[in-house]
Amino acid sequence: MQKIRNIAIIAHVDHGKTTLVDKILHSCSIFRDNEQTGDLILDNNDLERERGITIVSKNVSVQYKDVKINIIDTPGHADFGGEVERVLKMADGVLLLCDAFEGAMPQTRFVTQKALALGLKPIVVVNKVDKENCRPEEVYEQIFELFFNLEATEEQLDFPVIYGSSKQGWMSTDWQKPTTDIFALLDAVVANIPPAPINDGTLQMQITSLDYSSFVGRIAIGRVHRGTIKENQPVTLIKRDGKIVKSRVKELYTFEGLGKIRTTEVSSGDICAVVGIDGFDIGDTISDFDAPEQLPVISIDEPTMNMLFTINNSPFFGKEGKLVTSQRIKERLYKEMEKNLALKVIETASPDSWLVYGRGILHLSVLIETMRREGYEIQVGQPQVIVKEIDGKKHEPIETLIVDVPGEVSGKVIELVTQRKGELLIMEPKGDLQHLEFEIPSRGIIGLRNNVLTATAGEAIMAHRFKAYEPWKGTIPGRSNGVLVSMDKGQTTAYSIDKLQDRGRFFVDPGVDVYEGQIMGEHIRDNDLVVNIVKGKALTNMRASGTDDNARIAPAIKFSLEEAMEYIQADEYIEVTPASMRLRKIFLTEQERKVKGKQFV
C-alpha cells in the first residue's frame, strides 16, 4: 500500500485555507527553529499579499508519521474557479473548510459540487470556532444538507468533521475541547483519505499546472495516473485536440516541503514536475512512447464576461510604460491563455484591440494589474456580459447573490438589487446580521458593490456565483450621473477645482497633468459637462482688499481598478499604466463626441 495522500484544500474566500496550510507546514517542522517565515507563506506574489487572497493554486508536501501528504492550496473566489477545476484532478480527497459563523457560502457550494462530481472523499473542517457568535453545530447541519442537495454518494455523506481554529493553531474532534496542535486533522487525513492508487501499465500523466524557470523554461506539473515516469524516458505528448508530439523527459522533480527535489523516477499516484517537454498546454497527456493513450480532457466552465483590451493611444502614451506596442500586448495575452484556462482572447477587426473573455471582473482585473506591474500600458473598455441565443431567444448569465448586512440597512440593499432586476429569494436572521439571497443578472452586479457599500456604510458582505443562462431580463438602469470632462491639456489648479466644486465631485487633485477628453469627476446632473480645470487665477498688480479666499477643496475620490471597471460606460476607457490609472472618453474632443457619440446610445 502506497504511503501517499493527495488532498486539495477548498473553501469560500477568507475562510482560512492558506492559514491552515501555514500551520500544517509548521507542525510538520519543515522549517528550522530560527527561520523567519511570516504569515500566509503560500501567497507569495505581491498581488496576493496586497489583496489578501489566493489567486493561483500551489503545491506543497509534508511528511507525517512516514506518510507523504501532497497538499494543494486553491483560490476561494468564483472568478478563479478555473484554477480549482483543474487542480482537483490531482487529488484523492478534499479538506472542505467552512467558517463557523458564516457557514456554507456560494463558493463553498461551487467547489464542493466540483469535488463531489469527481468522486473525491471529503473531510469537513469547521474553522474559526474561536469567533464570537459562532454556530458550529448549525454549520455542520448546513454542510450535510449541501452535500445531500448536491447528490453526494453514501460514502461521501459519511464524512468526518474536525473543529478548530487555524489562526490559533489547534484542531479537535470536539469544538468545546480545544487542543494545542493540529494533529487531529492530520490523523483524520491519514485515516480517511484513500491512499494514492497504484495503476500498473503504460505511462499516463495529465498536465494540470505550469511552472516556469528562467534556466529550464516551462515545467509541466501533474499527477502520474498510471505506470512510471523516468528521467531521460522518450514519451508521447497528446494535445487536447488529439495531435501527437514525440518528446523526451530531461529532468524529474517531486515536491518536498515548499520546494522540489530531483529524482530519477516517479510512480503512479505521486505529483511531479517534468522538465524538457516543449509546446505543452494544461490538459495535455504525457503517455507511453509506443502505445500512447489520452486521458479525458479537463472541462472548464465557460467565461461569462468580456472586455475590450486596446493599445494606449492617449496624449500621455509611452510616458510611464516600456511595453506599449500592439505586438507586445498580443504576445502577453496569448501567453496568459496558456496557464489561465478560464481566459479566452479573440482578435477583433482592428489589429490594435482584442476581446478578452473571463469569469468576472476580479478575474480580468487581476490580469490587468499583473500586466501593469510588468510595464505594459493598455486601455480597457466597459465589461460586457456574454449573451447567448438559445431556441431563438436571447439568454444572459444569471448569478446567485448573497448579502449579509445589518438589519437596519437591509431595506436599502433590497431596493438597490431589485432596481437591477434582482429577485429576493431568502431573507433570514444570521447572528446580528440579515442574510439575503437574490437571483440577479450578471449585468446587474457590475457597479452594484460600490452602491451597496455606500448605502450600508461599508458593512455589507457580498458574494456571488454563476448559476445558469436564463432568458433576458430587460434593460437595467446604468450610472445615473454624467461626468466632468476636461476641455484642455495642462496641469490642474486648486483655483479652478475650488470654483467648480458645486458642479460635482472630483477624481483628481490639484497639480496633476491632464489632457483634453480625460474624465475629471462626476457631474451632479445626468449629462456630461466639459470643464476647464487648468485655468489659473488672473493676477493683477493691484492689491486685493481682503476678499481673497483660500481654496477649500474636498479630497479627490480615488478608484481601485475594479471600481473603475464598474464605473465606466460604453463610451469610456480606463487607461492603465505602470504609474497611474486615468478614466477617459473614447473620443477626446467634444466635436468628435457629438458626431460619433450616437453609436453608444
Side-chain angles (χ1 to χ4, degrees):
M1 192 157 121
Q2 209 158 254
K3 297 195 170 179
I4 296 177
R5 305 285 188 276
N6 297 317
I7 55 167
I9 298 191
I10 58 174
H12 184 79
V13 64
D14 259 356
H15 281 196
K17 297 179 292 301
T18 308
T19 308
L20 179 62
V21 177
D22 284 2
K23 294 297 184 247
I24 293 174
L25 290 172
H26 283 292
S27 301
C28 297
S29 45
I30 70 156
F31 301 111
R32 298 189 314 273
D33 293 341
N34 61 349
E35 196 169 340
Q36 295 292 314
T37 56
D39 293 334
L40 304 178
I41 302 158
L42 288 196
D43 283 351
N44 52 12
N45 74 35
D46 295 344
L47 255 182
E48 289 181 320
R49 286 207 165 278
E50 280 169 30
R51 291 166 181 258
I53 58 173
T54 303
I55 294 171
V56 184
S57 27
K58 326 262 188 337
N59 299 34
V60 291
S61 93
V62 293
Q63 287 287 135
Y64 177 70
K65 291 186 175 171
D66 77 1
V67 175
K68 180 182 182 182
I69 304 176
N70 285 317
I71 303 167
I72 308 155
D73 183 25
T74 64
H77 272 279
D79 284 27
F80 307 118
E83 286 283 317
V84 182
E85 286 164 40
R86 63 183 172 78
V87 296
L88 284 179
K89 282 275 184 115
M90 293 198 278
D92 295 308
V94 290
L95 293 186
L96 173 64
L97 248 75
C98 211
D99 187 302
F101 170 67
E102 290 184 356
M105 296 288 276
Q107 186 62 11
T108 315
R109 185 187 180 90
F110 173 80
V111 289
T112 308
Q113 191 175 357
K114 298 286 175 199
L116 294 179
L118 286 169
L120 302 179
K121 172 78 178 160
I123 293 179
V124 172
V125 181
V126 179
N127 194 17
K128 306 191 182 183
V129 294
D130 52 322
K131 262 189 173 181
E132 46 188 306
N133 293 338
C134 72
R135 43 196 191 109
E137 279 102 351
E138 272 178 63
V139 169
Y140 168 69
E141 297 293 333
Q142 205 181 0
I143 293 172
F144 187 86
E145 209 171 296
L146 172 69
F147 275 49
F148 186 76
N149 292 342
L150 293 174
E151 298 172 2
T153 62
E154 288 288 324
E155 195 190 354
Q156 287 171 329
L157 280 172
D158 185 22
F159 55 81
V161 184
I162 304 288
Y163 300 94
S165 162
S166 303
K167 198 168 185 182
Q168 294 180 354
W170 66 268
M171 289 285 156
S172 168
T173 47
D174 182 348
W175 69 279
Q176 289 163 329
K177 294 179 185 166
T179 58
T180 52
D181 53 48
I182 61 160
F183 294 139
L185 174 63
L186 294 174
D187 289 331
V189 168
V190 173
N192 294 286
I193 301 291
I198 301 173
N199 300 323
D200 293 325
T202 55
L203 168 66
Q204 269 187 317
M205 169 182 161
Q206 191 157 43
I207 299 169
T208 46
S209 235
L210 295 182
D211 201 355
Y212 183 79
S213 151
S214 49
F215 298 109
V216 294
R218 294 167 76 224
I219 301 169
I221 297 172
R223 172 174 146 178
V224 182
H225 176 69
R226 189 177 74 190
T228 308
I229 187 166
K230 298 179 180 154
E231 217 168 52
N232 287 325
Q233 179 181 355
V235 291
T236 302
L237 179 71
I238 309 175
K239 307 286 290 171
R240 289 173 73 104
D241 57 7
K243 198 173 136 201
I244 285 181
V245 182
K246 300 293 183 187
S247 193
R248 182 182 287 274
V249 175
K250 284 184 187 158
E251 293 173 14
L252 265 183
Y253 294 86
T254 54
F255 290 89
E256 187 169 294
L258 290 174
K260 304 183 192 78
I261 54 162
R262 192 162 174 180
T263 181
T264 50
E265 70 173 67
V266 178
S267 54
S268 68
D270 205 354
I271 295 171
C272 67
V274 182
V275 174
I277 293 174
D278 293 326
F280 63 82
D281 291 307
I282 288 172
D284 294 355
T285 305
I286 298 174
S287 63
D288 187 63
F289 188 79
D290 300 316
E293 286 178 64
Q294 187 171 16
L295 284 164
V297 176
I298 301 171
S299 63
I300 293 283
D301 290 357
E302 50 193 82
T304 55
M305 198 169 275
N306 67 22
M307 276 178 88
L308 186 76
F309 277 54
T310 175
I311 59 166
N312 184 10
N313 58 5
S314 81
F316 293 167
F317 142 83
K319 280 189 173 181
E320 293 163 357
K322 292 186 178 72
L323 306 166
V324 294
T325 61
S326 56
Q327 186 59 33
R328 282 300 189 80
I329 295 168
K330 179 181 174 179
E331 282 169 8
R332 178 66 180 82
L333 289 174
Y334 279 89
K335 187 178 160 197
E336 184 69 25
M337 261 205 307
E338 289 177 0
K339 62 176 191 292
N340 198 333
L341 281 194
L343 199 80
K344 228 164 56 180
V345 178
I346 291 177
E347 299 198 4
T348 62
S350 157
D352 294 337
S353 50
W354 305 266
L355 272 177
V356 179
Y357 290 74
R359 279 281 180 85
I361 286 205
L362 188 66
H363 187 200
L364 293 165
S365 78
V366 164
L367 169 63
I368 297 166
E369 182 65 31
T370 310
M371 287 176 68
R372 182 179 81 76
R373 289 173 185 223
E374 289 170 6
Y376 289 86
E377 277 193 14
I378 49 174
Q379 290 183 146
V380 293
Q382 185 189 29
Q384 306 284 346
V385 298
I386 297 166
V387 179
K388 284 186 177 174
E389 192 88 11
I390 303 173
D391 302 332
K393 287 186 180 165
K394 201 156 78 159
H395 283 59
E396 65 174 330
I398 302 292
E399 308 220 4
T400 303
L401 170 70
I402 291 184
V403 188
D404 290 334
V405 68
E408 62 274 14
V409 286
S410 58
K412 291 180 185 171
V413 175
I414 295 169
E415 187 185 341
L416 284 168
V417 178
T418 47
Q419 277 171 3
R420 291 162 174 261
K421 301 280 188 272
E423 288 175 33
L424 180 64
L425 304 176
I426 296 173
M427 182 176 182
E428 59 191 17
K430 180 172 160 185
D432 49 1
L433 299 175
Q434 276 290 349
H435 176 77
L436 309 173
E437 282 189 34
F438 302 90
E439 271 182 16
I440 182 171
S442 295
R443 295 176 294 145
I445 289 179
I446 299 174
L448 179 67
R449 184 178 296 272
N450 258 353
N451 297 350
V452 167
L453 290 177
T454 306
T456 60
E459 291 202 39
I461 302 163
M462 283 175 71
H464 55 90
R465 75 181 170 86
F466 172 69
K467 178 179 171 258
Y469 271 86
E470 289 182 13
W472 183 260
K473 302 278 187 193
T475 54
I476 291 176
R479 190 175 71 201
S480 51
N481 293 33
V483 287
L484 303 172
V485 184
S486 173
M487 71 161 62
D488 216 343
K489 186 176 177 179
Q491 212 172 56
T492 55
T493 63
Y495 172 77
S496 50
I497 292 178
D498 182 38
K499 296 294 179 234
L500 289 164
Q501 279 190 120
D502 57 344
R503 296 290 184 177
R505 306 179 305 161
F506 281 91
F507 305 155
V508 290
D509 294 310
V512 175
D513 285 324
V514 297
Y515 52 80
E516 183 183 3
Q518 189 177 329
I519 295 171
M520 300 288 94
E522 187 175 74
H523 192 198
I524 51 171
R525 300 218 167 95
D526 58 0
N527 63 316
D528 293 347
L529 182 70
V530 179
V531 295
N532 185 348
I533 197 171
V534 298
K535 186 173 70 174
K537 184 178 181 187
L539 300 174
T540 68
N541 57 359
M542 300 291 286
R543 256 184 86 177
S545 56
T547 57
D548 203 8
D549 293 335
N550 283 337
R552 290 194 188 89
I553 298 172
I557 298 166
K558 300 291 183 201
F559 284 138
S560 70
L561 182 55
E562 284 95 38
E563 288 167 346
M565 285 160 72
E566 293 185 342
Y567 184 79
I568 60 169
Q569 296 296 296
D571 64 336
E572 294 162 5
Y573 277 157
I574 308 170
E575 178 191 346
V576 184
T577 71
S580 47
M581 185 181 79
R582 304 178 187 94
L583 306 186
R584 55 161 284 186
K585 289 287 183 186
I586 292 179
F587 301 115
L588 294 177
T589 65
E590 195 176 3
Q591 185 63 34
E592 256 188 314
R593 288 198 291 277
K594 280 179 178 162
V595 175
K596 299 177 181 170
K598 292 182 178 63
Q599 68 191 63
F600 298 113
V601 176

